[in-house]
Amino acid sequence: DAKTTQPTSMDCAEGRAANLPCNHSTISGNEYVYWYRQIHSQGPQYIIHGLKNNETNEMASLIITEDRKSSTLILPHATLRDTAVYYCIVRGNEHYRDDKIIFGKGTRLHILP
Amino acid sequence: DTAVSQTPKYLVTQMGNDKSIKCEQNLGHDTMYWYKQDSKKFLKIMFSYNNKELIINETVPNRFSPKSPDKAHLNLHINSLELGDSAVYFCASSPDYYEQYFGPGTRLTVT
């Protein structure tokens, strides 16, 4: 079972920042937070991951609370192409090579023109 | 240039047949995966190979057999296909455990 809880769906206006929340209250110390997204009829796409510090890359920013029980993925300037299902995933570090990515139901993000 | 490719993109077949789905990655990654996404859109891992060695083998019927002829290929062979095998199958590869790069998927329909 997925170790995360996400809203089923969200809307965001084009050009605005999309903030996608995720709860992972049972996360353990060696587990990372990952975000993937799946655009309709395509394979999932890796976005970002982090352990406890905030992370930023060319796609998004990941803000993890100090207690690590929740996080927020931020798409700074959402475009129509960002419409997708976004998955928040908790997974152990590389020492657990047989640890799996478990996809939950994700958040369906609609970017509105 | 295609990073992770799968063939075929669509596969329609009858119950009881044996079929294969091929996956190739040109990224030089050591680890490859197979996932299944069912009609309810749940995405679940089936197998993982690292340098041709099986790492993860989820509870899938033994009618499903992955084969890795080399590091760049991970094929999925399915025997005695059943209606419940209808799904989209995704191949993925990973350079470093953290990021996974997914292929475009193969939509399998069993009639």
Side-chain angles (χ1 to χ4, degrees):
Chain A
D1 291 341
K3 303 177 184 177
T4 61
T5 305
Q6 299 176 252
T8 302
S9 66
M10 292 181 63
D11 292 338
C12 178
E14 189 177 16
R16 307 294 282 258
N19 297 284
L20 292 94
C22 179
N23 286 324
H24 32 79
S25 58
T26 61
I27 193 171
S28 62
N30 65 353
E31 289 181 320
Y32 285 71
V33 179
Y34 289 74
W35 284 85
Y36 279 76
R37 73 180 182 183
Q38 187 172 21
I39 296 170
H40 180 63
S41 296
Q42 296 182 22
Q45 179 188 21
Y46 165 85
I47 301 174
I48 199 166
H49 75 276
L51 184 63
K52 51 186 175 182
N53 297 323
N54 298 337
E55 301 287 344
T56 296
N57 62 21
E58 65 278 4
M59 288 183 68
S61 294
L62 173 60
I63 308 298
I64 303 174
T65 57
E66 193 167 342
D67 64 7
R68 303 210 319 126
K69 293 185 177 183
S70 65
S71 59
T72 302
L73 179 74
I74 301 172
L75 308 178
H77 305 287
T79 71
L80 296 177
R81 286 175 296 181
D82 292 321
T83 293
V85 178
Y86 286 77
Y87 297 97
C88 172
I89 297 156
V90 164
R91 185 190 185 206
N93 65 29
E94 68 272 17
H95 296 297
Y96 299 86
R97 285 239 159 234
D98 58 347
D99 202 18
K100 304 171 286 290
I101 288 183
I102 299 176
F103 288 85
K105 297 181 180 180
T107 296
R108 187 171 295 277
L109 176 66
H110 298 276
I111 305 300
L112 307 174
Chain B
D1 290 341
T2 303
V4 182
S5 60
Q6 297 179 227
T7 53
K9 188 170 176 60
Y10 299 96
L11 181 55
V12 181
T13 188
Q14 291 184 328
M15 285 175 56
N17 285 347
D18 303 338
K19 291 292 179 185
S20 292
I21 305 172
K22 295 185 177 181
C23 177
E24 177 181 3
Q25 53 98 1
N26 62 5
L27 300 166
H29 294 169
D30 287 340
T31 307
M32 296 184 71
Y33 308 82
W34 275 109
Y35 287 82
K36 177 182 179 180
Q37 188 165 40
D38 61 25
S39 57
K40 296 183 178 179
K41 302 295 185 183
F42 285 112
L43 189 60
K44 293 184 179 180
I45 191 167
M46 300 174 69
F47 301 102
S48 164
Y49 269 74
N50 181 267
N51 274 320
K52 298 174 56 180
E53 178 188 354
L54 183 64
I55 302 296
I56 295 173
N57 185 352
E58 280 298 280
T59 309
V60 300
N62 56 16
R63 298 182 293 104
F64 290 78
S65 54
K67 288 184 171 53
S68 182
D70 55 57
K71 234 173 61 166
H73 296 84
L74 182 61
N75 303 323
L76 184 65
H77 189 76
I78 315 170
N79 289 329
S80 302
L81 277 155
E82 300 177 357
L83 292 176
D85 297 333
S86 294
V88 181
Y89 291 85
F90 290 100
C91 177
S93 71
S94 176
D96 59 6
Y97 178 82
Y98 292 101
E99 300 177 40
Q100 291 188 16
Y101 295 78
F102 284 77
T106 295
R107 183 174 294 277
L108 172 65
T109 303
V110 182
T111 61

